[in-house]
Each structure stands twice: as structure tokens, then as C-alpha cells.
Amino acid sequence: MFVSSLRRTGARAILSSKFSLPPCRNFAMGAAAGGHIDDELLEKLGSLSTQALVDGLWVMGWPSAQIDDAKPLHPSHKCVGRAVTLNFVPARPDIAQDKPAGGNSPEYEAFELCGPNEVLVMSSCGKMESVGGDIKFLRLKQLKIGGLVTDGSVRDTDEIINYGFPCFSHSTTARQGPAAMQPWECNGVVELSGVTVRPGDAIVGDQDGVVVVPAKVAPMVYDIAHGREVIEEIVKEELIKNPGPPGKYYPFMSGKIKVDSPLGQLLATKGITPENSNQFEGSANW
């Protein structure tokens, strides 16, 4: 009798425990992160222009990687880092009630994952909605964050600029963010301006915009983009020395340069050949 009663009590406790747990997804879902980018490769990617990185991904046939709605808050702002993502959802009473409160909020969870080699990527619910301002972002300054990128807007602009970390946003605003949206998930896959960002992807920003380099193909993107920048510098040098229409050498397609073309011949004088470069016809390795 005692054992039977104990079993019933235990079963009720298990059921009670089961139904007090937060709801979880039980259907198929891929991994959030797509790979790892070490500090050395991150630094290399940051040495390239966003244009070169976009070109590298385009050559490989990958979709658009530029976050069009993210512009530098100040002309001096440049950033490179691994993505830490934060997703906002439209405000709703139950969302506000169920979201972890205070310091346990997903946004502060994301903040604490950031440092000099990370960029916080915040997916907004609207271009003019505020993802944060001076008091929240003071913590990012303290963490010496590598940068902040959002397709929404920020407030307290002067103070954020004074904080000194690179910030890229659609615009600035005086609006209150919580009135329109709530931070809901840290380090999931997010979308900004039609571009997918996975945690750990490389985020590179300069005066032309922000580019996402998928972690899975980052080494190859660097290889192609760096090769293109070397060639473009040689072409520019040649055109300065011998002024004329750039069409003789430019534009060019990586992996399609012919050895006997004017560009191929120019590159040969600089020691760049199919034996040591993947930019020539037949030498592409992607």
C-alpha cells in the first residue's frame, strides 16, 4: 500500500514537473552556427574591403551578403567580428510576460557573449524601431565590443558615438523599442535586410556597408577576395603609370582570367600565374 501510494505521488510529481517546464521545440531544426572562424582568419577578413568580400561570395555563387539597412553611425566606424545574434519579435502582452525579465533577458544574455572579437547583430521588427540606447549600450562599451549591427535604429546617438565602439544601423530615432518589439532569442539564425546571419559568421563593416561572411566558407572567401584585391591594386598601379581606359584590364572574373589576355600578361610581369593563383581560367578551386 505504501509503495503504491509512493508510486502515485511520484507520478504526480513527474507530471507536475513536466508541465511546469518551459515549452520547447520538438521538430527538426538545423544547427544555429555554421562553423568556427579563428582570430587569425578574422583579422585577415577585416583587412579586406566589404566590396572585395561581396565579390568573393558572388564569384562562388552565394546569395547577396550585404546588409543594406546597416550604415555606419559615424564616418570613422569600421568593424570585424564573429556574430552574436539577437532576434526581436513584435510586442504582444504574453510575449512581454513570458520573456525572461531583468538581467536574464535574451538581450543581456547576448551582451555577455560579446567582446573585442564579436559583433552584436540585432534583427529588428522595423527600420525605425529602436534596438537600444545609451544605458543599455553602456554595457557593450564596458565589454569593449567589436561592433553593433542592426537593420533597425538606435537612440541617444551622441552618447553611442562617444562610447567609441563601431555601430551600424538603418537610422537613429527617439522612439522607445519596448513599445513595438521585444528581444526574444539569443544566438539563433536571424535575418536582416533579406540576409541570413548565423552565430559565428564573420561580420565586416566599413563606409560602404556591412557584409556577412558565412563561417562555413570563410577561408575560401578570403582567398578569392584577397586575390582580387591584389590584382586590382596591380591594375590601378598600371593605369596610374600608363593612363588609359580601364577596360583593357578591368573588370575581370575570378577563375576566368586568360593567361594570354592583357590582364594575364600584366599579372605575369608581377609573378602572378595559374601556378600560384586561383584567379585564372582552369585554376579556380571553389
Side-chain angles (χ1 to χ4, degrees):
M1 187 75 173
F2 172 74
V3 172
S4 175
S5 174
L6 187 61
R7 283 176 179 163
R8 285 195 298 272
T9 303
R12 283 196 298 270
I14 290 169
L15 286 171
S16 173
S17 171
K18 176 182 176 183
F19 288 107
S20 67
L21 290 173
C24 62
R25 297 178 68 169
N26 58 5
F27 51 86
M29 182 167 61
H36 176 70
I37 297 174
D38 62 32
D39 290 349
E40 182 182 359
L41 178 55
L42 194 65
E43 185 177 356
K44 288 180 177 179
L45 290 166
S47 72
L48 301 177
S49 66
T50 52
Q51 307 97 299
L53 295 170
V54 164
D55 289 350
L57 284 161
W58 172 70
V59 165
M60 294 174 65
W62 280 64
S64 175
Q66 176 164 321
I67 300 174
D68 291 330
D69 283 314
K71 306 297 182 187
L73 199 59
H74 189 271
S76 66
H77 286 183
K78 294 185 71 174
C79 76
V80 59
R82 287 178 287 267
V84 172
T85 64
L86 178 66
N87 193 40
F88 284 83
V89 296
R92 213 171 74 173
D94 59 331
I95 291 289
Q97 291 166 5
D98 292 346
K99 178 183 74 69
N104 294 320
S105 173
E107 62 189 326
Y108 299 128
E109 178 187 0
F111 285 14
E112 296 307 310
L113 295 176
C114 294
N117 286 328
E118 282 75 43
V119 170
L120 180 59
V121 179
M122 308 175 85
S123 178
S124 176
C125 292
K127 294 179 180 181
M128 295 307 300
E129 303 302 345
S130 169
V131 297
D134 65 336
I135 293 179
K136 286 184 178 181
F137 294 160
L138 173 61
R139 182 56 181 153
L140 300 182
K141 175 190 176 183
Q142 294 169 342
L143 292 165
K144 297 180 171 58
I145 192 172
L148 183 155
V149 170
T150 180
D151 56 350
S153 295
V154 295
R155 51 191 275 170
D156 305 310
T157 309
D158 290 343
E159 198 61 36
I160 294 174
I161 291 172
N162 288 336
Y163 285 164
F165 61 79
C167 180
F168 294 76
S169 65
H170 169 74
S171 188
T172 59
T173 183
R175 293 184 185 183
Q176 293 182 345
M181 60 187 186
Q182 291 285 332
W184 186 249
E185 181 186 19
C186 167
N187 261 357
V189 178
V190 297
E191 173 268 324
L192 287 80
S193 304
V195 175
T196 299
V197 184
R198 300 176 76 176
D201 285 348
I203 307 297
V204 181
D206 59 23
Q207 289 307 295
D208 288 325
V210 177
V211 172
V212 181
V213 181
K216 186 160 287 191
V217 293
M220 183 56 69
V221 173
Y222 171 77
D223 194 28
I224 296 170
H226 177 256
R228 289 185 63 86
E229 284 211 334
V230 168
I231 292 172
E232 287 182 3
E233 193 57 39
I234 289 171
V235 169
K236 189 175 176 182
E237 241 176 56
E238 178 65 19
L239 292 172
I240 291 172
K241 189 165 64 175
N242 298 299
K248 184 177 180 181
Y249 308 111
Y250 186 87
F252 64 91
M253 173 67 82
S254 295
K256 298 287 181 67
I257 298 173
K258 295 183 182 296
V259 174
D260 58 355
S261 68
L263 177 56
Q265 292 171 5
L266 173 62
L267 295 177
T269 67
K270 305 295 183 180
I272 299 177
T273 68
E275 283 68 42
N276 57 27
S277 171
N278 62 2
Q279 302 287 321
F280 290 85
E281 192 173 60
S283 68
N285 56 351
W286 55 86

